[in-house]
Amino acid sequence: MTGARKVLVTGGAGFIGANFVRYWSDKYPSDRIVVLDALTYAGNRANLESVEDRDTYRFVHGNILDPAVIGDTMQREAIDTIVHFAAESHVDRSIHEPDAFIQTNVIGTNNLLMAARKHWIDSDSAPANHLFHHVSTDEVYGTLGPGDPAFTEQTLYAPNSPYAASKAASDHLVRSYHHTFGMQVTTSNCSNNYGPYQFPEKLIPLMIVNALTGKALPVYGDGSNIRDWLYVDDHCRGIDLVMNKGRVGATYNIGGNNEWRNIDIVNQLCSSIDAAFAANEQLAVQFPQAPAAKGQKTESLVCFVADRLGHDWRYAIDATLAESELGYKPEEDFESGFQLTLNWMLQNEGWWRAVMDGSYRDWISRNYSAES
Ligand code: NAD
Ligand code: DAU
């Protein structure tokens, strides 16, 4: 698409969505960005602090389960581009309470597609161009064994958790709107992200917070499970490439070429925290409960706990298509991306404490006018 776009970012107050909004508004400053987010436990307006004052930005507190708020936002803002991040995203939660995943990830995605069809395809005042970009996951492909080739876009879907199944359903819905109604869509399926603003329930931020506060580091099973880690900015660049250069109707895998066993991640994290405390005496004052503050090894907190039900053993992304067609290449390796993440967590204790106890809401109401 050419010219300034009017972009609706669903789930823009979550981890990847907020990083994407910052990335996009820096790179395309004349685009209008409207964030639609229900502010669940995982959505924090504090994540969007750096864009809150921009004229081109607006926040809408709304749920994708509410067709009226979607339709109203699309109409009022003359939206021509949707980047769809909003989802329930945590596998453990989907094992305990799958219903919310079906609601948001399946019904919510369908609501957005219905609204997009109404405004972009069935309307007399439809924009000249439109694009629906759907952000999905490698988990739709199921699990790999030790010698299996990495997931390609041709790998058959075999989702194993309620989360993965709900994302698979949403991928199929997006595909069907292209095939049946001619909607201009793209989809990206991505591996495990990490970086600033990730809610401390996911492996890396949870382990950092627990290590700094002297709590156990719970490794599921024997810790041999493998994930393919991708720094969040590399994911944002990948989405940008798919949206601007990708074939309409196509799906692209985005990965980090960074397969790590969970136990190796946790051990690496422990030694990086020990090294950070050794290099900066102030950290022992700031985090007195951390083993590293008492001359002990962070590794002493590691404990092996009962495995996740249905725990997928290995994910690995083959991003050859995105590399060859779009020129995609991740810029951070795990060491550099992890150091950026650890430094950010050390410097933003206020953020992680506030999002974990919900007090960021008070912080936002002190700093910003009422939500729209
Ligand atoms: P997140 O849980 O951090 O954020 C989700 C956001 O969606 C939150 O701001 C939340 O308030 C919002 N939301 C949830 N339900 C909503 C609803 N009904 N209406 C409106 N907003 C709602 O998630 P994330 O890790 O940033 O993931 C974003 C997207 O990327 C998801 O679609 C996820 O499936 C996909 N993804 C994530 C990863 C990863 O490693 N985190 C990897 C691949 C794909
Ligand atoms: O692969 C992409 C997916 O990555 C995304 O689609 C999901 O939204 C995202 O949550 C993530 O799913 P995972 O289940 O892989 O991420 P999580 O951080 O929950 O766990 C990573 C690995 O670490 C996994 O093998 C389970 C393990 N783990 C996790 C936690 C929270 C532990 O061993 N201990 C823990 O406390």
Side-chain angles (χ1 to χ4, degrees):
M1 285 173 72
T2 50
R5 288 157 288 203
K6 293 163 192 129
V7 185
L8 178 67
V9 181
T10 71
F15 160 50
I16 307 173
N19 278 287
F20 178 83
V21 168
R22 260 194 319 282
Y23 167 94
W24 195 273
S25 42
D26 286 346
K27 181 151 181 204
Y28 304 106
S30 48
D31 281 5
R32 171 88 165 146
I33 295 197
V34 180
V35 168
L36 174 65
D37 199 295
L39 297 180
T40 68
Y41 78 94
N44 308 300
R45 250 183 114 173
N47 300 359
L48 291 160
E49 191 189 6
S50 65
V51 297
E52 285 275 358
D53 295 330
R54 297 191 190 182
D55 295 341
T56 49
Y57 164 85
R58 178 179 160 218
F59 182 82
V60 177
H61 185 192
N63 198 310
I64 58 168
L65 292 172
D66 178 357
V69 77
I70 301 171
D72 180 62
T73 307
M74 289 199 67
Q75 176 81 35
R76 269 213 283 171
E77 296 286 348
I79 295 295
D80 55 32
T81 305
I82 294 177
V83 193
H84 178 32
F85 292 93
E88 288 292 338
S89 69
H90 192 41
V91 174
D92 290 326
R93 288 177 188 257
S94 83
I95 294 166
H96 297 296
E97 288 179 39
D99 186 53
F101 288 71
I102 305 307
Q103 291 300 320
T104 288
N105 301 0
V106 185
I107 311 291
T109 301
N110 188 50
N111 286 342
L112 279 171
L113 288 164
M114 287 198 299
R117 179 185 168 202
K118 180 172 168 201
H119 290 272
W120 293 346
I121 294 171
D122 295 344
S123 161
D124 293 337
S125 54
N129 294 300
H130 69 253
L131 181 69
F132 187 110
H133 180 75
H134 179 52
V135 180
S136 192
T137 171
D138 58 2
E139 301 205 12
V140 298
Y141 299 123
T143 185
L144 294 169
D148 290 339
F151 302 128
T152 71
E153 292 78 0
Q154 271 68 52
T155 303
L156 291 181
Y157 273 36
N160 285 322
S161 69
Y163 163 69
S166 67
K167 291 297 291 188
S170 66
D171 293 9
H172 295 322
L173 283 168
V174 172
R175 177 191 149 88
S176 77
Y177 268 69
H178 174 63
H179 184 84
T180 303
F181 304 115
M183 188 177 291
Q184 310 287 289
V185 307
T186 45
T187 296
S188 49
N189 292 77
C190 176
S191 59
N192 285 61
N193 284 219
Y194 67 100
Y197 299 102
Q198 186 166 32
F199 192 83
E201 64 182 348
K202 309 279 165 59
L203 181 73
I204 289 180
L206 175 79
M207 294 289 168
I208 295 175
V209 165
N210 283 11
L212 296 177
T213 52
K215 296 196 183 120
L217 307 182
V219 175
Y220 297 165
D222 64 3
S224 67
N225 304 66
I226 294 170
R227 297 291 183 267
D228 181 356
W229 293 93
L230 179 69
Y231 191 66
V232 65
D233 285 355
D234 283 327
H235 186 190
C236 295
R237 284 190 311 101
I239 293 172
D240 180 4
L241 286 168
V242 173
M243 290 175 63
N244 283 305
K245 290 185 168 177
R247 279 173 290 114
V248 168
T251 286
Y252 294 87
N253 283 353
I254 301 178
N257 260 333
N258 254 313
E259 285 187 61
W260 282 70
R261 293 191 313 157
N262 291 341
I263 187 63
D264 296 333
I265 294 266
V266 173
N267 286 336
Q268 156 93 20
L269 183 147
C270 290
S271 17
S272 300
I273 289 177
D274 290 345
F277 275 67
N280 178 359
E281 286 176 5
Q282 194 49 42
L283 289 176
V285 179
Q286 192 179 348
F287 303 108
Q289 286 150 331
K294 305 173 200 156
Q296 295 158 10
K297 293 230 172 267
T298 303
E299 211 181 298
S300 61
L301 294 175
V302 173
C303 65
F304 292 88
V305 300
D307 210 352
R308 174 186 276 174
L309 289 180
H311 196 175
D312 283 340
W313 189 67
R314 173 179 166 232
Y315 304 142
I317 281 275
D318 178 342
T320 306
L321 185 69
E323 281 164 23
S324 60
E325 276 192 18
L326 314 175
Y328 166 75
K329 202 169 184 308
E331 284 177 2
E332 301 295 341
D333 59 26
F334 188 71
E335 282 79 2
S336 62
F338 177 73
Q339 203 53 52
L340 288 171
T341 307
L342 176 59
N343 291 345
W344 189 87
M345 293 291 280
L346 290 171
Q347 286 156 16
N348 288 277
E349 180 188 2
W351 176 86
W352 50 260
R353 288 202 186 275
V355 299
M356 287 173 83
D357 70 14
S359 59
Y360 79 87
R361 288 170 203 280
D362 304 333
W363 180 87
I364 277 293
S365 61
R366 277 198 307 276
N367 286 279
Y368 296 105
S369 55
E371 295 160 353
S372 9

